[in-house]
């Protein structure tokens, strides 16, 4: 790319003086910079600089060169020499002289790119054979370090051919969502189905709603449900990656990569069951059904008498957020206690169905 830049002429803004000089060359058949400077009453240095600009753009050429003569690629344009006469060249012809070397270089780089790609992709069968063998030898793999988790996920996303399905129990931060959007865009671009399950509570966050709207627009399917127990990802229904909260790293960021067919089949069926009963997120304005489901979930937990900390974890929200929902529901129902609120909601039919 640097070579392309050096072959292209310096592009100076073309102003009124450039237009006047080019017009004079067209109308008079020849342009002598010294005579043009006297006629226009413009300093000779300004005329010479403008003629140089037009020469570099191949709109003017020394008359003795002929209209079809072009400088060899990479040879600098000669300055406006004293006594030199210039003739005008058609812009259609000039543009071929200007862009020809650049387009030739682009084609050369394209050929080099294809050649390098073929060299690299020659190793793809080796990679796939080795990766498949690794799966066969290691039905369950413990990934204790974040780098190991990231590397395994990159390989799995790159190798996915039919589906990437997942469940996420927490509210992701914006950086995680942006990374996920890039992966989703790339995977869907290959024709892979993407399905993701979230708890209803994520829809109380504007940045998550915006993200989900974007991935749905790309073609992904998103649903929400009352409770997502833990994080899991499935790749082509043949590999499951689970969060490993008891990993030896001690930070809760480890993972298990599971390839045992029976275990993956069991996990995938459990995920499918949750998916079937979940509410689709369409991203359409007023798509607030999941918020109603969240309200219902809070009422059910109030009726059950579950403590705030446990209830908040179940709904994937902070204790402060859970208590804010509880306060709003108590006021709405006119209840004096949490259990009373659940009881009122049951009698009012808010928990039916």
């Amino acid at each position: 790319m640097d070579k392309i830049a050096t072959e292209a002429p310096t592009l100076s803004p073309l102003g009124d003086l450039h237009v006047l000089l080019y017009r004079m060359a067209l109308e008079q058949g020849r342009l002598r910079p010294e005579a043009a400077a006297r006629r226009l009453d413009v300093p000779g240095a300004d005329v010479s600089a403008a003629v140089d600009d037009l020469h570099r753009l191949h709109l003017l050429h020394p008359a003795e060169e002929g209209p079809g003569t072009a400088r060899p690629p990479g040879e600098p344009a000669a300055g406006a020499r004293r006594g030199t006469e210039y003739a005008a060249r058609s812009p259609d012809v000039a543009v071929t002289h200007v862009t020809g070397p650049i387009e030739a270089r682009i084609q050369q780089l394209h050929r080099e790119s294809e050649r390098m790609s073929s060299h690299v992709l020659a190793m793809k069968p080796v990679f796939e054979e080795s990766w498949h063998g690794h799966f066969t030898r290691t039905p369950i793999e413990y990934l204790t370090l974040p780098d190991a988790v990231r590397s395994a996920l990159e390989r799995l996303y790159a190798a996915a051919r039919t589906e990437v399905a997942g469940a996420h129990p927490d509210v992701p931060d914006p950086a995680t969502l942006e990374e996920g959007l890039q992966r989703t865009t790339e995977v869907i671009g290959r024709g892979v189905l993407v399905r993701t399950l979230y708890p209803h509570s994520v829809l109380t966050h504007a940045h998550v709603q915006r993200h989900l709207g974007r991935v749905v627009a790309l073609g992904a399917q998103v649903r929400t449900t009352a409770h997502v127990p833990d994080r899991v990802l499935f790749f082509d229904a043949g590999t499951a990656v689970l969060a490993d909260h008891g990993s030896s790293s001690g930070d809760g960021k480890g993972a298990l990569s599971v390839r045992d067919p029976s275990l993956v089949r069991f996990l995938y069926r459990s995920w499918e069951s949750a998916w079937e009963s979940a509410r689709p997120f369409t991203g359409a304005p007023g798509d607030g059904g999941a918020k109603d489901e969240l309200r219902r979930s809070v009422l059910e937990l109030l009726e059950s008498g579950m403590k705030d900390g446990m209830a908040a974890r179940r709904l994937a929200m902070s204790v402060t957020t859970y208590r804010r929902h509880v306060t709003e529901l108590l006021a709405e129902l006119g209840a004096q206690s949490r259990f009373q609120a659940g009881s009122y909601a049951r009698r009012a039919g808010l928990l039916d169905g």
Side-chain angles (χ1 to χ4, degrees):
M1 296 304 293
D2 291 341
K3 189 173 181 181
I4 290 177
T6 58
E7 289 179 355
T10 302
L11 299 180
S12 301
L14 298 182
D16 293 340
L17 182 57
H18 296 88
V19 175
L20 287 172
L21 294 171
Y22 184 61
R23 189 185 300 278
M24 288 174 66
L26 288 169
E27 293 176 352
Q28 298 175 11
R30 290 289 187 273
L31 175 72
R32 291 189 63 189
E34 298 87 348
R38 289 193 299 271
R39 179 177 175 183
L40 298 173
D41 194 21
V42 174
D46 292 349
V47 171
S48 294
V51 169
D52 284 346
D53 291 339
L54 294 169
H55 186 205
R56 278 193 292 271
L57 293 173
H58 293 269
L59 290 166
L60 292 181
H61 63 91
E64 65 270 17
E65 289 182 358
T69 305
R71 288 181 288 109
E75 180 179 312
R81 298 181 297 274
R82 186 174 182 82
T84 301
E85 291 186 346
Y86 291 85
R89 183 183 278 122
S90 161
D92 290 330
V93 175
V95 77
T96 62
H97 293 318
V98 171
T99 62
I102 300 173
E103 292 178 352
R105 179 59 176 156
I106 289 173
Q107 292 175 7
Q108 180 185 355
L109 288 173
H110 183 66
R111 290 192 295 270
E112 291 177 2
S113 173
E114 290 183 336
R115 188 161 54 250
M116 291 298 295
S117 295
S118 65
H119 283 316
V120 173
L121 291 177
M123 289 297 178
K124 188 173 181 179
V126 179
F127 170 84
E128 292 180 344
E129 180 182 354
S130 175
W131 185 242
H132 178 73
H134 177 69
F135 278 9
T136 305
R137 293 190 303 270
T138 315
I140 299 179
E141 182 179 7
Y142 291 85
L143 307 170
T144 58
L145 299 177
D147 285 346
V149 176
R150 190 177 301 108
S151 177
L153 289 177
E154 287 176 355
R155 291 195 300 268
L156 288 165
Y157 272 105
R161 292 294 176 266
T162 57
E163 182 189 46
V164 175
H168 302 280
D170 305 316
V171 178
D173 59 72
T176 301
L177 290 178
E178 188 61 32
E179 181 181 351
L181 179 64
Q182 294 175 8
R183 283 179 171 171
T184 300
T185 302
E186 192 277 329
V187 169
I188 288 180
R190 301 201 314 265
V192 177
L193 173 64
V194 175
R195 295 193 291 167
T196 310
L197 192 62
Y198 286 98
H200 296 317
S201 58
V202 301
L203 296 186
T204 62
H205 300 266
H207 75 281
V208 179
Q209 283 211 48
R210 287 193 297 271
H211 167 79
L212 296 183
R214 293 166 71 184
V215 299
V216 167
L218 288 172
Q221 297 180 26
V222 176
R223 294 189 181 185
T224 62
T225 188
H227 177 53
V228 175
D230 217 332
R231 189 180 314 279
V232 63
L233 286 168
F234 297 97
F235 297 89
D236 297 336
T239 301
V241 178
L242 313 172
D244 180 17
H245 301 293
S247 63
S248 60
S249 62
D251 56 8
K253 295 183 179 179
L256 292 175
S257 180
V258 180
R259 291 175 289 272
D260 178 80
S262 298
L263 183 53
V264 172
R265 191 179 305 113
F266 170 77
L267 294 170
Y268 187 73
R269 285 177 178 173
S270 299
W271 179 90
E272 278 275 15
S273 178
W275 175 264
E276 290 300 324
S277 62
R279 177 182 292 273
F281 174 82
T282 64
D287 186 7
K291 294 182 180 179
D292 295 336
E293 293 291 343
L294 174 61
R295 179 171 176 268
R296 173 192 173 96
S297 298
V298 173
L299 287 170
E300 288 176 342
L301 294 173
L302 289 176
E303 185 186 36
S304 72
M306 186 177 292
K307 294 187 177 297
D308 289 356
M310 185 178 297
R313 285 194 297 275
R314 184 175 182 83
L315 297 177
M317 62 177 63
S318 69
V319 174
T320 301
T321 301
Y322 175 75
R323 287 172 178 166
R324 176 170 55 79
H325 284 296
V326 170
T327 301
E328 292 172 355
L329 286 171
L330 288 174
E332 178 184 337
L333 296 169
Q336 302 300 315
S337 69
R338 293 158 183 253
F339 181 78
Q340 191 178 60
S343 178
Y344 284 1
R346 175 67 66 184
R347 290 202 299 269
L350 298 177
L351 300 178
D352 293 344

